[in-house]
């Protein structure tokens, strides 16, 4: 029989399980936090890109006297070129390899550009006329990111 060793080396199975349990608990706390940061980053990107699109639409209107019928092609095809690439909505996926573009609805003198955002409904708002003036009304719980030259009401 081997003599009992006083100077043991390594960790016991219980110690290893305890350490793994602590790591699992910390990971379960940290992962949702980082998902939230990821969504905040996407929202910041959307807000910045919608501001760029809004400026591009205003430039197109100044140049052509009307808003484009399609933001994916018209802003790139015009001379001078207003947008160098198609901006893709990070929240919207259409299941294809084509970039999922931002939503766009043009009128004669108005436009609405929007992102699905964190909303499960891709278009959770409506156009309505109040006192003879067109405006955008966000539906209850709307989390779409919207930019427009029309007033937006909650």
């Amino acid at each position: 029989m081997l003599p009992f060793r006083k100077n043991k080396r390594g960790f016991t199975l219980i110690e290893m399980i305890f350490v793994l349990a602590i790591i699992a608990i910390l990971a379960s706390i940290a992962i949702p936090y980082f998902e939230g940061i990821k969504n905040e980053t996407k929202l910041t990107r959307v807000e910045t890109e919608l501001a760029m699109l809004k400026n591009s639409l205003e430039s197109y209107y100044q140049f052509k006297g009307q808003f484009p019928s399609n933001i994916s092609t018209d802003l790139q095809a015009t001379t001078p070129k207003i947008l160098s690439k198609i901006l893709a909505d990070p929240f919207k996926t259409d299941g294809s390899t084509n970039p999922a573009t931002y939503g766009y609805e043009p009128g004669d003198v108005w436009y609405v550009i929007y992102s699905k955002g964190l909303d499960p409904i891709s278009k959770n708002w409506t156009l309505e006329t109040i006192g003879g003036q067109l405006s955008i009304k966000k539906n209850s719980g709307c989390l779409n990111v919207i930019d427009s030259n029309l007033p937006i009401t909650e």
Side-chain angles (χ1 to χ4, degrees), residues 18-136:
F18 184 71
V19 169
L20 289 175
I22 290 173
I23 291 171
I25 290 169
L26 291 175
S28 68
I29 293 170
I31 289 173
Y33 174 75
F34 290 118
E35 283 296 318
I37 290 174
K38 185 176 163 184
N39 285 338
E40 287 177 23
T41 303
K42 283 183 180 180
L43 284 172
T44 302
R45 175 182 161 193
V46 164
E47 290 168 356
T48 302
E49 288 183 352
L50 287 182
M52 286 172 44
L53 283 171
K54 184 176 184 174
N55 289 337
S56 298
L57 289 170
E58 296 292 339
S59 295
Y60 187 96
Y61 187 82
Q62 291 295 323
F63 185 70
K64 298 276 190 178
Q66 64 185 25
F67 289 109
S69 59
N70 184 319
I71 59 172
S72 298
T73 57
D74 293 353
L75 293 177
Q76 291 184 305
T78 190
T79 304
K81 186 183 260 187
I82 295 175
L83 216 65
S84 61
K85 71 174 195 165
I86 299 172
L87 301 175
D89 185 351
F91 288 105
K92 186 175 167 186
T93 56
D94 61 2
S96 71
T97 57
N98 298 329
T101 58
Y102 290 98
Y104 173 65
E105 293 193 18
D108 291 335
V109 292
W110 58 268
Y111 62 88
V112 181
I113 45 177
Y114 61 95
S115 167
K116 178 179 180 255
L118 296 172
D119 204 313
I121 303 170
S122 63
K123 184 182 169 192
N124 198 4
W125 54 272
T126 56
L127 289 171
E128 65 177 25
T129 304
I130 300 174
Q133 183 176 355
L134 194 61
S135 67
I136 299 167

